[in-house]
Amino acid sequence: MAASQPEACRQRIADIPTLSVPHALVDLQVRALAIADGGAARLAGEPVSGAEWFDALRYLTAAARLVVHDDELAELPGFAADTFAAVRTQRALSPRAVPGGASAMPGTASEAAAALALAEPILNASDWGAGARHLAPWARRLAAERQTRHSGRNPLRGIQHPAGLHRMMTAIVPHQRRIAGAVPTGSSVSWSSGIFRI
């Protein structure tokens, strides 16, 4: 009995709907694909491995699902903002779910585009201090999320801890101020170091 021949795909590229996207978003996607293909990666101005860069993107994607605000989504192309808003809403319906494992990565191309655009100011900051300033608002919201919805437990505990993001945190919050579960007050940046612990 002869082996059956695989069936040819009948999908025509010309029939796939296309969307207009900003050139800057295309550049981000090309850069991410280059890193995935073994190209040089930088995180906040310093060289890192591709694995560390994608760990940071994975972590920031999960963080954004929990804490991104509508005004941040408004800066994205409509299709990406709508997709990410739907994911965020779904996540809010299961507030105790831990966004770890495979679910930490975007499930669709639209969500991936949104996550990449949201994380870009942190990933591509000029240095660690600039990255920390971009990360600070999300960190404050994660601290609040931890206390109000997760009984003090880290909502991102199931995700690989990227060392680069920890370095950004310590650039703003001195070691002696980083007490697990504490949310410092009275400073321009207030967050919990426990957010970054697994």
Side-chain angles (χ1 to χ4, degrees):
M1 182 174 187
S4 62
Q5 294 294 319
E7 188 174 333
C9 176
R10 292 190 169 91
Q11 176 71 62
R12 294 171 53 85
I13 291 178
D15 295 337
I16 300 174
T18 59
L19 294 167
S20 176
V21 298
H23 191 65
L25 184 52
V26 174
D27 285 346
L28 286 176
Q29 292 174 318
V30 168
R31 224 176 308 157
L33 289 172
I35 293 170
D37 199 34
R42 298 181 77 80
L43 178 59
E46 294 196 10
V48 294
S49 69
E52 183 174 357
W53 192 89
F54 277 102
D55 280 348
L57 177 58
R58 184 180 297 111
Y59 190 93
L60 292 170
T61 298
R65 287 178 181 145
L66 293 173
V67 302
V68 72
H69 282 178
D70 287 341
D71 59 340
E72 292 163 296
L73 291 180
E75 298 176 7
L76 302 178
F79 74 92
D82 292 345
T83 298
F84 208 88
V87 170
R88 183 187 59 179
T89 299
Q90 185 61 39
R91 179 72 60 189
L93 296 176
S94 304
R96 297 206 179 273
V98 177
S103 66
M105 289 306 284
T108 66
S110 295
E111 186 189 355
L116 193 56
L118 290 166
E120 189 275 335
I122 300 167
L123 295 172
N124 295 328
S126 58
D127 55 39
W128 295 106
R133 285 190 295 278
H134 286 294
L135 182 59
W138 286 12
R140 284 194 298 269
R141 295 175 210 159
L142 281 170
E145 176 86 10
R146 176 182 181 135
Q147 297 305 317
T148 60
R149 293 189 178 211
H150 298 271
S151 304
R153 296 182 69 197
N154 179 2
L156 302 180
R157 64 190 173 276
I159 303 172
Q160 176 67 35
H161 183 197
L165 296 184
H166 181 75
R167 184 172 174 188
M168 289 183 200
M169 180 192 69
T170 58
I172 290 187
V173 182
H175 181 72
Q176 64 270 22
R177 297 279 306 277
R178 292 184 288 114
I179 301 170
V183 182
T185 58
S187 76
S188 59
V189 176
S190 58
W191 54 13
S192 166
S193 68
I195 291 167
F196 291 85
R197 285 192 192 144
I198 300 299

